Amino acid sequence: MGKRWCYILGTVILSVGMGMTTFAEIPAYLTESEYNDMLYDNYTEDRGIVVENYPELGYLVYKNSQGREITCNYYKDELVVEKQPYYEMEDRIGYIDEMFPNFEYDPRDSSITSIQAGDSIYIRLNKDGIATYISAYNDYLVRYGKVISFQYNTGETAGLQLQDDQGNVYVYDVGLNTPVTKGSTSTALSAIKTGSWVKVLVCQKILGEGIIDETVQEIVIDNDTRYISNIYRGQVTSVDTFKKVLNLKNAQALGKTNWGAYNSLLRIGLDTTNVAAYLIGNRVSLDYVSRNLKNADGYVYVAAENYKGKENAIKLNFQSKLQTTLEPSLVTYASANTVKLLSGETIYIAEDAIVVRDKRLVDGNSIMVGDTLQAVVTGENKLAIGNILSEKTTGSLEVFRGRIKQIKERESFQFETFSLLQDNTWYYHPTPHTFSIDANTKFYTAEGIVEDGIEAFLDYGDKSEVSNVYTVVAIGDKAYMIIDMPYITESVKGQVYKAADGSIQIKDAYYYHKQQKKWVQYSKKNTGATINLQSNTVILKDGKVVPARSLEEGDIISAMVETNLKDSAGAVNGYIIIVEN
């Protein structure tokens, strides 16, 4: 009996010892009958890593702590299987459920089919060597980094290449059904963009000595906490790596068409961990910049990333002052080191180029045929800055106008016929069109927004809307805005140089001549024009409805206005404003 108690005590000590290794964090619970079986040598136990599992054949193969492969038989109906969920691993990954809301972990009570190659297992066998109990778990870890590339493979996966803050690169095949969220809202895999920062939940399985299989279980995209807020040029006056500050003199920010006003001294943060600095194509250190490039001739181009409200320089490109800012142009050819533009230029790309897409810092390989590229080039036609412009104007938004035929209260309404605004012209369609509405649909009159407008949008009573004419901004058949505004057919276009809540001032102004069917210059002296905004004016930019304060200097706009610009004193009332660049 003493020998048996020594055996039991030794087993418990071994279990505790192995529990400190990668093989076990799973408690070995014993029932009274199991305890008695072990007491009388009717019971054995082991731990290891699953190599293969064949539920249909009733056996699995695992590698034990001595490295031996063991074949273990079981009866599916007599086997108790548990698989440890995340919430029993709080000391290792207890925070994961807070970060990844969609991932479904294996429940504690499970079946033999859930045991997979790479699982860590604790196993009990009866006196005949048949498994009666298996408890398993996986290791989960979180990786956070910037998307270097993301593209769909043939088949059922997409390729994700991720780089963390230490420069380590990880490559994953991501299943097309992998849950993806952004801002606590589920989204599609296509929302992952090159340059985005993401958190990736990875399940690790040990398949053999030195062989670890990693599977992506869920992806959370940063909710626009890191994006390129500005690109500057100027001269470095000082670099303080201790305070993490970069000072520039005569700094200018890149606008939509050219460089902005001078700032005599600009002080921005410095991401000393991730910043990359280049001198005429060669990588240099911050120490080299501080010692040799302060107040140097030429320009330094700086990509500034906004992270939680603070701007940090993350890439510096030192070049000579000989540079040209090109007009945005369509890319007609793109390779790893060369792009050609529709305007005729051939531009050469190297590692030092600052390339931005969707407000994310990317590499030159992200420039593709069909992109519209705003380029700053050196005297050797090397790309110093490449800003890939959004192709959105109205995006999915469309502007309709029609007479209401009927309304289904709080659900939908129908136009008798409708006109669709395209290229500053209303195109008539002699067919009905039905739009859905809900609590998010906004209603406007000449006085501005109507609170609870959907409740007053009825087809009966003294205030019936039947036969009234409205302008509708819609996404597909969903009405986003319903606006009471005049029927406007005149149009102007130009470049914004000043915008406020009450008006927009444009230069290079043109008005559309209906008889000649062409745009005509308003003033040879370029005196410009003013577009007065109304309480029911709608502004469309980048596929969204935006306020006037979202307009930027350099925006090219077209506007549907109340009167022809040539018949005015340079000021017109505008109702539909569309940003075209």
Side-chain angles (χ1 to χ4, degrees), residues 331-366:
V331 175
T332 59
Y333 170 84
S335 67
N337 51 20
T338 306
V339 296
K340 295 182 180 179
L341 303 181
L342 186 62
S343 52
E345 292 86 357
T346 298
I347 303 173
Y348 303 100
I349 305 172
E351 186 182 354
D352 59 346
I354 294 173
V355 182
V356 177
R357 177 188 286 277
D358 297 326
K359 294 189 176 182
R360 303 291 188 269
L361 188 66
V362 297
D363 59 28
N365 293 324
S366 295

Side-chain angles (χ1 to χ4, degrees), residues 10 75 89 97 117 132 138 162 194 197 212 251 268 414 425 445 474 505 544-545 551:
Y75 299 112
M89 304 181 190
D97 60 320
T132 59
N138 297 127
L162 194 70
T194 301
W197 287 79
I212 299 176
I268 60 176
Q414 187 182 69
T425 302
T445 66
Q505 291 179 282
K544 300 176 183 178
V545 177
L551 296 178

